[in-house]
Amino acid sequence: MIANSSEANRVHWQNEAARVARKMNLGWWLEALSAPLVVGAVCVTIALVVTRREIPEVNLWFLLGWVAAAFVVLSFCCFLVARRNFEKPADSMVRMEAAMCLRNALSAAQAGVATWPQPVQKIDAGISWQWGRLLVPVLGALVLLVAGFIIPVSSPAGRVALAPEEPQAWQQLSAELDRLTEEKIVDENYLEETRQRLDELKAQEQEQWFSHSSLEATDSLKKSHQSEAGRVTRELARAEKALATLEQNAGGMAAAERNRLMNEFDQALQGLQSGAMKPDAALLEQMKQLDLKQLANLTPEQLQQLRENLKKHGEAMKGEEGGDELADGEGEGDEGEPRDGEGSGGVNRGPGHADGVLGKEKDEVLTGEHAGIEAKDLSQTTPGDLLELQDGEHDVDETASRIRSGGNTDATGKGGDRVWRDALDPAEQQTLKRFFE
């Protein structure tokens, strides 16, 4: 009976020591896992959000399995790190007898030199759980993982890629070409060629749109188009004006003046045909068929129709040209008259800026005449102070002038002395000697 009782006591105390050892080892493992758990949760959360955004069709169970696998790997790595601090049941038994003041009774019984003590109701190993340190990392990791699953993200298909803004000059030129195409007042070949050059600029990489070379090419294309538009506008106005003058003064005009106007009309027609931009082919054909020498045989309706066509095309081109007056540098209207709100500039009269372009001029500040500051206390003067003003006279040499001979140069040149010939080897000295012979 006594043997059975002793054996039961041994099993009881060894089981309690094993339980304390498991508790201690679990604590060491959780201690090693706390910091890596939070860091790993942050990394896994970022990976979850990126995966859900880039692969929206991914399965939720696949993500959960992936997270569980990552937790298992992290736990195993922390177990290997914490294993160095693990306790054995024998060590836990020593911890128990020290905390319960058993005076080495358990160690002596384990060694077989004493009997096992009687079991007690409460085992105290001197350790307790610190729930604050334990739960904070775990709860933080759970919050991060839940956020990784519930944060709303937009799929790539639902995101609209914002294209960079094109240069404003491209938009303006494209709008002008579309307007000319719609109104059918310019030859289609020119419009297609200009639009093709503009498309070549747009075909560049987006990073090169605002580069120096691209902006220069854009500016060159825009100025070329505006120059052609201005030329066509002037030639149309020139032809319409000559035709109107011929029509109004057909009966009482001198032959020389009539020939001059006819020649001006022909030159305008040649100018419209020679440039890169040409007006509508129907208008050119109508102008070619017009015989100004037989002007008297033409009906007023024919002349009026041609004049209206010329005026219509000219106004359309003028409207397109006037959209960017500052770009082409023109400050005058078709007849050389200043536009509203601008100065009367011209080719021979300066730019003709409008009044108030630079803002309101301020009133002139009257500072008065310059005067020196008189120092009252000469002991307090500083360098630069004006002490006294005196009226002086020039010392003029009134001796009569006479012819004098020029002076001679007494000093001879000493440039050769700058060469340190003694420091040269014999071959170099002979070369230097031959050079200066």
Side-chain angles (χ1 to χ4, degrees), residues 174-345:
S174 180
E176 292 173 1
L177 294 177
D178 293 341
R179 187 185 67 83
L180 292 176
T181 303
E182 182 180 358
E183 295 184 1
K184 298 181 180 180
I185 58 176
V186 178
D187 184 30
E188 289 292 336
N189 295 331
Y190 170 80
L191 296 178
E192 290 297 331
E193 181 182 353
T194 306
R195 188 174 285 107
Q196 182 179 1
R197 294 173 61 185
L198 181 60
D199 292 340
E200 291 177 358
L201 292 175
K202 293 182 179 181
Q204 301 178 107
E205 296 182 359
Q206 296 178 356
E207 293 79 6
Q208 300 296 326
W209 282 1
F210 293 92
S211 63
H212 181 69
S213 58
S214 178
L215 293 179
E216 279 191 347
T218 301
D219 188 58
S220 175
L221 179 60
K222 184 178 180 181
K223 287 183 177 180
S224 175
H225 173 71
Q226 291 171 346
S227 176
E228 288 295 321
R231 180 189 59 80
V232 172
T233 302
R234 291 189 296 271
E235 297 296 345
L236 289 173
R238 181 181 177 187
E240 195 274 334
K241 183 178 180 181
L243 188 60
T245 305
L246 286 172
E247 181 185 4
Q248 294 174 2
N249 304 315
M253 183 180 296
E257 182 65 16
R258 184 183 300 107
N259 292 333
R260 187 187 67 80
L261 292 175
M262 293 170 57
N263 186 32
E264 187 172 353
F265 183 86
D266 292 337
Q267 290 180 358
L269 177 58
Q270 294 177 3
L272 292 174
Q273 294 176 338
S274 61
M277 178 188 289
K278 300 179 178 61
D280 187 27
L283 178 63
L284 286 178
E285 187 64 24
Q286 188 178 7
M287 294 176 65
K288 291 178 183 178
Q289 294 178 358
L290 180 62
D291 189 2
L292 296 181
K293 296 180 180 179
Q294 304 295 330
L295 187 61
N297 298 331
L298 299 177
T299 61
E301 290 77 10
Q302 292 176 336
L303 293 176
Q304 185 66 22
Q305 182 182 5
L306 180 57
R307 286 186 55 194
E308 288 179 357
N309 289 339
L310 291 173
K311 189 174 182 180
K312 175 184 175 181
H313 282 68
E315 289 177 352
M317 295 298 300
K318 186 190 306 182
E320 184 273 333
E321 180 190 8
D324 194 359
E325 296 171 357
L326 295 180
D328 54 16
E330 295 188 13
E332 296 182 331
D334 295 336
E335 304 296 333
E337 298 296 333
R339 295 188 177 96
D340 295 338
E342 296 187 2
S344 57

Side-chain angles (χ1 to χ4, degrees), residues 46-203:
I46 296 175
L48 285 173
V49 173
V50 173
T51 303
R52 291 173 53 216
R53 183 189 65 181
E54 300 298 331
I55 312 176
E57 64 275 6
V58 65
N59 192 355
L60 179 61
W61 293 106
F62 173 78
L63 294 178
L64 289 174
W66 183 66
V67 172
F71 176 75
V72 169
V73 172
L74 181 63
S75 301
F76 180 74
C77 294
C78 294
F79 173 79
L80 295 179
V81 174
R83 190 177 180 181
R84 298 173 298 180
N85 299 321
F86 283 1
E87 288 186 359
K88 296 181 179 181
D91 299 329
S92 299
M93 192 173 295
V94 174
R95 183 185 296 274
M96 290 167 54
E97 64 183 6
M100 298 174 64
C101 299
L102 296 179
R103 298 182 180 181
N104 299 330
L106 298 179
S107 299
Q110 182 73 18
V113 297
T115 60
W116 290 95
Q118 293 293 328
V120 295
Q121 295 182 353
K122 183 179 180 182
I123 300 297
D124 183 14
I127 56 176
S128 61
W129 291 108
Q130 299 293 329
W131 295 107
R133 295 181 57 185
L134 175 63
L135 294 179
V136 170
V138 175
L139 294 178
L142 289 176
V143 170
L144 290 173
L145 292 177
V146 171
F149 282 102
I150 66 174
I151 289 178
V153 294
S154 59
S155 61
R159 295 194 300 267
V160 179
L162 298 178
E165 188 72 16
E166 294 182 353
Q168 188 176 5
W170 292 1
Q171 302 176 9
Q172 294 176 353
L173 186 56
S174 180
E176 292 173 1
L177 294 177
D178 293 341
R179 187 185 67 83
L180 292 176
T181 303
E182 182 180 358
E183 295 184 1
K184 298 181 180 180
I185 58 176
V186 178
D187 184 30
E188 289 292 336
N189 295 331
Y190 170 80
L191 296 178
E192 290 297 331
E193 181 182 353
T194 306
R195 188 174 285 107
Q196 182 179 1
R197 294 173 61 185
L198 181 60
D199 292 340
E200 291 177 358
L201 292 175
K202 293 182 179 181

